[in-house]
Amino acid sequence: MSNPIRVCSFESRRCHEMVNLIERFGGVAIVAPSMQEIPLTENDDVFEFGDLLASNSVDIVILMTGVGTEALFEVLSTKLAIDEIRSHLQNCLLVARGPKPVAALSKFQMKADLKAPEPNTWHELARCLQEAQAELVGKTVAVQEYGQPSLELYEWLNRQGAKVLPVPVYRWALPDNIEPLKAAIHAIIAGEIDLILWTSAQQVNHVLQVAKQMNVLDQWMAAANACVIASIGPTNSERLIELGLPADFEPSHPKMAHLARESIEAYARLSKKG
């Protein structure tokens, strides 16, 4: 009988779902939340966006995440009625990075005018705008940020002649309790993990931050690279390469269920890196 595949994930908001997925597809799960979404205590950028929206000074709104879209409505609704927010947004071209912002909009009885296809990176957003022949020159494009700004998207928009208005709605922080995260870092160093699943670039940043605080960064990097590394999609994979943790595997669709199932299935076909 083959040994069970020991799978580590740093998923946070959907950590229980990740545990269930890993176990359903035959893995042994170690899931250590690595981040939490903190609403910004000072929402000046959102309120500035609301003022510009109300004065018809925003032409295009790009919604990057579902959580961020809902948070945007929640913050704006402290000063404007939901009907007013909807009315102002209907004067803009609404662009969703993928299905999650679309689902969030539906909660407020709204639809996106454009939706970027999978794998939902800034490249697809750019192509989506180009294919729709959206006028960008001289237009104000508000971008709902999702923790860290999409600088490549901003640069592309600027090159098209647009004025970019970043709208940060929340930021990422370490969990209040980082002991499970420390334990997962130790487990990887001890060779107790076969497969690491990454579902966001910010997870990688936080794991490296904590490993550095623990004075085990070099040991952790070597041990992590001895595991099979699976990344949920191209944007995350690019960040992993930048940090010296190239992914061995990406799923056919950038979704958690595909990542868990396909990476566990693929593990049998991948030999350990020495």
Side-chain angles (χ1 to χ4, degrees):
M1 182 176 179
S2 60
N3 293 326
I5 299 172
R6 302 164 297 179
V7 184
C8 180
S9 168
F10 296 98
E11 176 63 29
S12 301
R13 186 160 48 91
R14 301 169 67 189
C15 59
H16 298 298
E17 181 181 349
M18 180 62 88
V19 169
N20 291 335
L21 286 169
I22 291 170
E23 292 178 347
R24 183 195 309 169
F25 300 124
V28 175
I30 295 179
V31 177
S34 60
M35 49 202 272
Q36 60 177 320
E37 295 161 343
I38 306 294
L40 295 176
T41 55
E42 298 294 333
N43 287 295
D44 292 345
D45 292 315
V46 178
F47 294 133
E48 179 189 351
F49 164 71
D51 291 340
L52 291 170
L53 197 63
S55 64
N56 292 319
S57 300
V58 178
D59 302 292
I60 299 172
V61 177
I62 298 178
L63 301 169
M64 301 294 280
T65 66
V67 171
T69 299
E70 292 188 38
L72 186 65
F73 271 85
E74 289 168 8
V75 174
L76 288 175
S77 66
T78 63
K79 291 194 173 184
L80 296 169
I82 291 294
D83 285 345
E84 290 180 274
I85 299 170
R86 274 198 295 259
S87 176
H88 294 320
L89 285 172
Q90 284 168 351
N91 294 326
C92 305
L93 180 71
L94 283 182
V95 185
R97 188 172 66 103
K100 292 180 181 179
V102 170
L105 280 173
S106 70
K107 294 181 181 180
F108 300 97
Q109 292 79 52
M110 296 199 70
K111 293 183 178 180
D113 298 300
L114 301 174
K115 185 181 81 169
E118 291 184 358
N120 313 125
T121 71
W122 76 267
H123 296 282
E124 284 72 42
L125 275 170
R127 188 161 59 249
C128 184
L129 288 164
Q130 287 176 321
E131 290 175 352
Q133 297 183 332
E135 179 59 54
L136 295 173
V137 177
K139 302 299 183 181
T140 296
V141 182
V143 183
Q144 169 258 309
E145 292 184 352
Y146 61 108
Q148 289 193 349
S150 179
L151 298 179
E152 297 93 343
L153 175 62
Y154 296 173
E155 290 170 4
W156 181 83
L157 288 167
N158 285 326
R159 289 197 301 271
Q160 311 312 306
K163 176 186 175 183
V164 178
L165 176 67
V167 186
V169 186
Y170 58 88
R171 62 181 172 85
W172 299 115
L174 285 167
D176 293 330
N177 177 14
I178 64 170
E179 293 307 313
L181 181 53
K182 288 181 176 179
I185 288 170
H186 280 306
I188 290 171
I189 292 172
E192 297 170 0
I193 300 298
D194 303 303
L195 172 63
I196 303 174
L197 308 183
W198 297 105
T199 54
S200 85
Q202 193 62 31
Q203 293 172 2
V204 191
N205 296 336
H206 280 186
V207 172
L208 294 180
Q209 178 183 338
V210 173
K212 186 174 182 179
Q213 291 172 358
M214 295 166 63
N215 295 315
V216 296
L217 181 57
D218 290 343
Q219 300 98 303
W220 186 84
M221 287 289 292
N225 273 305
C227 301
V228 170
I229 296 175
S231 166
I232 199 162
T235 299
N236 194 49
S237 297
E238 288 176 10
R239 182 61 177 156
L240 286 167
I241 291 171
E242 291 171 3
L243 295 170
L245 295 163
D248 300 291
F249 180 80
E250 284 183 15
S252 58
H253 297 282
K255 301 181 186 302
M256 275 186 14
H258 287 79
L259 176 69
R261 177 175 59 81
E262 294 176 15
S263 61
I264 289 171
E265 290 175 352
Y267 179 80
R269 303 191 299 269
L270 293 170
S271 60
K272 276 287 193 89
K273 295 179 289 183

